[in-house]
Structure formats: C-alpha cells, structure tokens
Amino acid sequence: MVERHERWMDQYGRIYEDETEKAMRFKIFKENVEFIESFNRDEAKPYKLGINQFADLTNEEFQASRNGYRTKSRETTAFRYENVTEVPSSVDWRKKGAVTGVKDQGQCGCCWAFSAVAAMEGINQLTTGKLISLSEQEVADCGVKAKINGYEDVPSNDESALMKAVSKQPVSVAIDASGMAFQFYTGGIFTGDCGTEWTMVLRRLVMAKMKTVRYWLVKNSWGSSWGEEGYIRMERDIDAKEGLCGIAMEASYPTA
C-alpha cells in the first residue's frame, strides 16, 4: 500500500509539507482504497469506483472543497418547453457542438459558476453558431462575458419536464454529490444512495437510452480524470419524484 501511495503521489504531483502530513494522508489513502476495493467486489453494481485525484481526502474534506450549497429560493417562472410533446430517445449536446471541454474548478467551491457558464456556453452556441469557452472567473467576479436575456426554471420534481428542456438546450442542475461513491465514481451508470441536502451544481447534458437502462449524462467540473473523462451517467426515471440525487429539484436554463 505504501508503494501504491507513492505511485499515486507521482501520478497526481502530490507533495506534502512534512512526514507528519504524509503519514496522515497515507492513512486516509489506505482507508479510501480499501473502501473502493470492497465496493468493486460486488459485481452486481452497475457502476465502479476508482482511485482518483481525491484519494487522500476524507469525504468531509471532499465535500468542503468541491461541493456548493443550495442558496436560492425558487420562484415561479415561465417554462417555454411545457407543451413539447415529442422528445428524441437520445440527445448529446457534445455531438451538436454546444459543449466545451471538461474544466477543473480546483479547490475553489465555485461549482455554481461552472454550471452557469456551461449552460451559457450552450445557449450562446445555439444562438450565434459559435462555441466559445467563457470565463468562470468573470462570473465569480461579477464581470460581463456574454449576454443572456434571463433564465427559466424547469418545474421542480419532474423528470419528464427536465427531459423536455434538455431536448432543446443544455440545462444546469443541482445534485447531491457528497457521498464516497460519488467521490470515487469511475464509470458505469450511477445508482448510488444519495440525499438532496448538500448540493453540487453540475452541467446536465444528455438524456439517453441504452437497451432498457435510461440515464442522464452530467458534465462535471472536477477535471477529465474523474469519472468517464469528466462525465457521470446517472440513472433516471426512478421512483423518487426529485430524481436520483435530487437532479430534478432545481434545474434551470438561460434564455437567449
């Protein structure tokens, strides 16, 4: 395990201040690796975990550095896609040229800015025909990078409405990403247990259907080494009205 930790440090360029910190981080790394390996021994799970860049963080540290909070109260707004009657079985906004590459927010808990900017990049491309990578920093600094007319909320707790919206443009969603299974997700269709309190704001990109399994494809802001090259596939059409991890609770999209 010591050798695995050393190789992991080399892979991710991790340097500790002293031997005391290194010993503490090694203990966390060892516990996380044991959790990942124990989880993956269950072959019935439709997704897998992996040793990623967060492997020397406790889940509490991971939440504190990467998660955002639900801060706004939702007001009743128009929903322009309410009367949409037909949606495709699959739509991928990457293939339509409305999605920039996966970005990494680093240690800054500004996931809300990455989610908002990703949605604005999408509507800007649909309006102008040009895909431009916009600046999250300017949003955090209250600067102007691009113009939108406003935003609309997708009706809460309604995955059908979310499907209608995402069939027309990329949508921003808030999901609970606080669990260890989410922290170390590496691939497959995520069906893990999660709540709806702590929220990580992520980009909602794709609805799709594989055989009998339907999923949401969500773009993350943790870099391309996490998950499936920066994306996670999440089960949809579940019994809970708020969707898996609360994905249908607070979705919204910018208007051109």
Side-chain angles (χ1 to χ4, degrees), residues 89 159 163 207-208 214-216 234-238:
S89 61
E159 284 195 277
M163 266 199 306
M207 60 172 187
R214 298 175 180 229
Y215 60 84
W216 303 110
M234 298 179 62
E235 183 183 21
R236 69 175 175 88
D237 297 334
I238 68 170

Side-chain angles (χ1 to χ4, degrees), residues 2-241:
V2 171
E3 292 178 357
R4 293 176 73 177
H5 185 224
E6 293 287 347
R7 290 197 300 269
W8 178 87
M9 289 174 60
D10 289 340
Q11 179 180 356
Y12 291 101
R14 193 64 51 89
I15 299 175
Y16 302 120
E17 290 186 2
D18 51 38
E19 289 301 316
T20 300
E21 183 190 13
K22 184 176 181 180
M24 184 262 292
R25 292 296 165 192
F26 168 73
K27 180 176 182 294
I28 296 171
F29 176 86
K30 180 174 181 293
E31 291 172 351
N32 284 336
V33 170
E34 290 171 349
F35 167 79
I36 291 167
E37 292 181 341
S38 174
F39 182 96
N40 287 341
R41 280 195 287 271
D42 184 353
E43 297 183 357
K45 295 285 188 182
Y47 65 101
K48 297 296 182 183
L49 308 186
I51 303 171
N52 57 24
Q53 67 267 42
F54 307 125
D56 70 343
L57 299 179
T58 66
N59 187 245
E60 291 75 17
E61 290 173 323
F62 169 75
Q63 292 182 46
S65 65
R66 298 285 169 162
N67 282 7
Y69 299 85
R70 184 175 291 115
T71 57
K72 71 181 182 72
S73 59
R74 288 172 67 88
E75 300 176 355
T76 302
T77 60
F79 179 49
R80 64 184 57 199
Y81 304 124
E82 181 177 1
N83 295 322
V84 171
T85 57
E86 294 184 8
V87 295
S89 61
S90 173
V91 58
D92 189 333
W93 289 106
R94 297 173 301 180
K95 296 178 180 179
K96 294 177 180 290
V99 181
T100 60
V102 173
K103 302 177 184 180
D104 190 342
Q105 70 185 64
Q107 296 298 312
C108 178
C110 58
C111 47
W112 58 270
F114 282 80
S115 180
V117 165
M120 286 188 285
E121 288 170 344
I123 194 63
N124 185 60
Q125 191 278 335
L126 293 175
T127 303
T128 68
K130 297 178 180 179
L131 180 62
I132 301 173
S133 180
L134 303 178
S135 169
E136 290 78 13
Q137 187 64 58
E138 290 209 11
V139 173
D141 291 342
C142 298
V144 179
K145 193 71 178 177
K147 285 188 176 182
I148 59 173
N149 291 335
Y151 76 95
E152 294 175 354
D153 288 328
V154 177
S156 296
N157 302 323
D158 188 341
E159 284 195 277
S160 176
L162 186 55
M163 266 199 306
K164 292 178 181 179
V166 81
S167 71
K168 300 299 181 181
Q169 67 181 93
V171 176
S172 174
V173 294
I175 64 176
D176 185 326
S178 58
M180 287 186 69
F182 213 106
Q183 179 176 349
F184 297 113
Y185 168 82
T186 191
I189 298 177
F190 185 81
T191 60
D193 295 329
C194 47
T196 58
E197 296 300 321
W198 294 78
T199 59
M200 177 71 189
V201 182
L202 299 175
R203 176 77 173 285
R204 163 75 178 83
L205 285 178
V206 176
M207 60 172 187
K209 182 177 180 181
M210 282 183 61
K211 297 181 180 178
T212 60
V213 180
R214 298 175 180 229
Y215 60 84
W216 303 110
L217 180 62
V218 182
K219 181 184 180 183
N220 206 340
S221 56
W222 298 339
S224 58
S225 61
W226 178 87
E228 296 181 337
E229 298 183 340
Y231 291 81
I232 181 172
R233 286 182 288 162
M234 298 179 62
E235 183 183 21
R236 69 175 175 88
D237 297 334
I238 68 170
D239 291 337
K241 63 181 181 180

